[in-house]
Amino acid sequence: MSATLGTEPILDAADRAPRGEHDGHDHDGLLDVFGARTEIAFSLLAGAAVLTGWILETVADVEGAVPTVLFLAAYVFGGSLTLREAYQSVRAGRFEIDFLMLVAAVGAAALGKFFEGGLLLFLFSLGHSLEHYAMGRAKRAIEALAELAPKTALVRRDGAELEVAVEALAVGDTVIVRPNSRIPADGFVLDGTSSVDQAPITGESVPVDKQPVEDRTHAAQASDSLDASNRVFAGTINGTGALDIYVTRRAADNTLARVVQLVSEAETGQSPTQQFTNRFERYFVPAVILFVLGLTVSPVFTGEDFGDSFYRAMAVLVAASPCALAIATPSAVLSAVARAGRSGVLVKGGGPLEDLGQLQSIAFDKTGTVTEGKPRLTDVVAGDGIPEARLLRAAVAVERLSDHPLARAIVRDGVPRLAEEPATATELQSIIGRGVRASLDDQTIHVGKLALFAEIDGAAPPTTIVAAVETLETAGRTTMVVRHGDEYLGVIGVMDTARAGVAEVVHDLRQLGVRRMVMLSGDNQRVANAIAGEVGLDDARGDLMPADKVTEITALRAQGTVGMVGDGVNDAPALASATVGIAMGAAGSDVALETADIALMGDDLRRLPFAVGLGRTTNAIIRQNLIVSLGIVAILIPATLLGLGIGPAVFVHEGSTLLVVGNALRLLAYRETT
């Protein structure tokens, strides 16, 4: 079996014809007799020939050419596909496992042991075909993602409804989605309400209610920032209501296509363990060949019968072939990637998967990760002699110009509290990490952290403003001081609440062995401490700029493997600095999909313990597989040196390979235990 089995890329339907029932060799010409079933058919024919020949020779006591011809037929059927693979490997300068099996079979024939040689090729080809079938199950679980989207869509163009191929959809088209049908494109809802089952993409177990956007033009310009209640994804399942969908991505660029592409790319990557086993085989296989050659010529020095020595050498050749080792890691990685994909977790290859299973600490971004990312206006504390309405009017006027989440909260919750229309501010400028300034009523207005006013010209904040800030921040609020000209109008308090279930996530991660969990936030330290204490995190680091988050991650990496969980956009540098970058809410976000090693497609942190648990289980299964594969080789080599025949060696050898594959396939049925 090829040492690189299980690492070929998965191609979607547009690039490759659908696979048959069994994966394996790509057949052509004379070797395509049974189509996709050629490999298993040849193996069974080899087995039938071996069995018939053995019965005739042993039970019916038929001697001569007939049993030999049947055994040679087993050579033809059992070895033809293996011969082609071995030939291709040798031409490429690699001596792999297929080559060792063929040499052993030819050696048995040279000794007149046609039955044992035929048995070897039958069991080897049977193990090969069953292995391909088992691996194909894992691959098809991934490839099935590509089949989620419908082939056609009902689109409204120029007042008429037309059915077109999804590949023909253009950005800006309006797609009509009937009840209980699959959604054909990424987009947002223009008309209609319904509940959509997003489990195929995000792993969410409960359908998500969808409703139309308020402003079609604005939604088209900022579709990635729309609320989950407005956005839909190709491949998800509409509920009982009809929807009109505005298409925001072409079929080749939608979330489903990106996931399929990234999973396909992930399969071609190799984990550290797989790289180790490949290096091991690169030296081990030639060493086996040299050792067998030494056994073959040993009668020159020992005087042993050449036939006995040569037979023992062929038995050792079978015993030392690391078939199980070749498949131990890729079978586990492929099964785990497929299992993760079914639950809305995108794993970009074996390396991140193994690292995920070894995490010792995890750092969480605060806004949008630990918290909802949807803060609300909680406090309006006016300065001495300042009407509350004046403070709120000024704050809303400035924040209407910003798209920051805190600004949107002030506008959303502040406008209903005003008795008149908000004022109009102009010339908004951001002061990174501190606040904003603008022009209002021909005067400069600043809105930002208390620290901002120690850095800019003008009067210092009065003690009443400082006291109000301290009081609000002690209560876990994020505060913004408002100064109009040189007059301090007051303080605005905003609070971003923790997501439901985050405390349970932290508990589950501790149960899985994650020793340290911290929160990184740009908010002030008191706010960070309040949220971290509420959800049970070990520590919180506040007042951090993006570069500061990278510094914190670097410090954590010095203590061991660390994961960083964020939204994949603002936290891109920190995600890249961590051992494993984990983006949540990645569905529909190209930046999150590109940045992270692991992407939680849904906006739900509760997928994280599942992903970490799957990674830990995968590592355990890889270790088990390596122990079995290397242990069998370590036992069989001395056993064959002491006289174990080729037949028993083949049974144990192929049995270990199937045991390893079966063990890896358990990951397809992995269930959350926490």
Side-chain angles (χ1 to χ4, degrees), residues 298-543:
S298 63
V300 175
F301 306 100
T302 64
E304 182 184 11
D305 179 74
F306 178 78
D308 292 341
S309 176
F310 189 72
Y311 181 83
R312 184 170 63 250
M314 295 303 100
V316 169
L317 192 61
V318 173
S321 299
C323 290
L325 181 64
I327 201 65
T329 303
S331 59
V333 168
L334 186 60
S335 297
V337 169
R339 175 64 187 92
R342 291 208 313 264
S343 291
V345 178
L346 175 61
V347 181
K348 295 186 182 178
L353 182 66
E354 288 191 17
D355 289 337
L356 187 67
Q358 298 169 359
L359 287 183
Q360 298 171 320
S361 59
I362 298 179
F364 297 87
D365 173 54
K366 170 185 165 286
T367 304
T369 302
V370 174
T371 63
E372 291 284 353
K374 298 177 181 177
R376 53 190 176 87
L377 175 63
T378 55
D379 304 273
V380 180
V381 181
D384 293 338
I386 303 295
E388 180 181 300
R390 182 185 172 195
L391 166 61
L392 196 55
R393 172 182 175 273
V396 169
V398 174
E399 300 296 8
R400 289 177 74 181
L401 305 178
S402 173
D403 60 358
H404 191 281
L406 296 181
R408 289 199 295 268
I410 292 172
V411 174
R412 183 192 65 236
D413 299 338
V415 169
R417 296 171 62 170
L418 291 174
E420 56 186 21
E421 282 294 314
T424 300
T426 58
E427 302 175 6
L428 181 75
Q429 294 180 341
S430 175
I431 305 172
I432 296 178
R434 294 292 186 264
V436 296
R437 67 169 160 260
S439 178
L440 177 67
D441 299 333
D442 298 324
Q443 284 187 299
T444 299
I445 182 169
H446 289 86
V447 180
K449 296 180 179 180
L450 184 63
L452 168 67
F453 299 93
E455 301 173 0
I456 61 176
D457 296 333
T463 56
T464 53
I465 294 293
V466 174
V469 168
E470 291 179 351
T471 300
L472 292 175
E473 291 185 353
T474 300
R477 269 59 166 174
T478 297
T479 59
M480 282 160 282
V481 176
V482 180
R483 191 181 80 183
H484 193 196
D486 284 331
E487 185 178 19
Y488 283 88
L489 303 185
V491 183
I492 299 292
V494 178
M495 183 172 66
D496 185 11
T497 57
R499 288 178 178 271
V502 174
E504 290 77 8
V505 168
V506 172
H507 174 268
D508 291 345
L509 290 171
R510 292 196 196 284
Q511 295 294 107
L512 289 168
V514 179
R515 297 200 300 263
R516 182 171 177 78
M517 284 174 276
V518 302
M519 187 175 72
L520 308 181
S521 175
D523 283 333
N524 69 73
Q525 187 64 50
R526 289 178 178 175
V527 172
N529 287 341
I531 297 294
E534 180 183 345
V535 299
L537 295 172
D538 297 305
D539 198 3
R541 313 287 170 82
D543 296 305

Side-chain angles (χ1 to χ4, degrees), residues 526-590:
R526 289 178 178 175
V527 172
N529 287 341
I531 297 294
E534 180 183 345
V535 299
L537 295 172
D538 297 305
D539 198 3
R541 313 287 170 82
D543 296 305
L544 298 180
M545 303 291 282
D548 298 328
K549 293 184 180 181
V550 174
T551 301
E552 294 291 341
I553 292 295
T554 303
L556 288 171
R557 285 199 69 167
Q559 304 170 26
T561 53
V562 58
M564 171 67 193
V565 187
D567 61 13
V569 182
N570 300 324
D571 305 307
L575 289 171
S577 300
T579 311
V580 182
I582 305 166
M584 65 177 293
S589 170
D590 286 340

Side-chain angles (χ1 to χ4, degrees), residues 265-321:
E265 292 171 356
E267 195 200 354
T268 65
Q270 293 186 341
S271 70
T273 303
Q274 190 172 344
Q275 293 171 1
F276 163 76
T277 57
N278 287 344
R279 288 194 301 269
F280 176 82
E281 289 174 37
R282 194 176 304 128
Y283 295 104
F284 182 72
V285 171
V288 168
I289 295 173
L290 292 175
F291 182 59
V292 168
L293 287 174
L295 289 175
T296 303
V297 301
S298 63
V300 175
F301 306 100
T302 64
E304 182 184 11
D305 179 74
F306 178 78
D308 292 341
S309 176
F310 189 72
Y311 181 83
R312 184 170 63 250
M314 295 303 100
V316 169
L317 192 61
V318 173
S321 299

Side-chain angles (χ1 to χ4, degrees), residues 566-612:
D567 61 13
V569 182
N570 300 324
D571 305 307
L575 289 171
S577 300
T579 311
V580 182
I582 305 166
M584 65 177 293
S589 170
D590 286 340
V591 175
L593 289 175
E594 292 291 347
T595 303
D597 302 303
I598 310 291
L600 309 181
M601 301 302 291
D603 197 23
D604 185 357
L605 201 58
R606 283 172 288 196
R607 293 287 86 197
L608 184 58
F610 162 79
V612 173

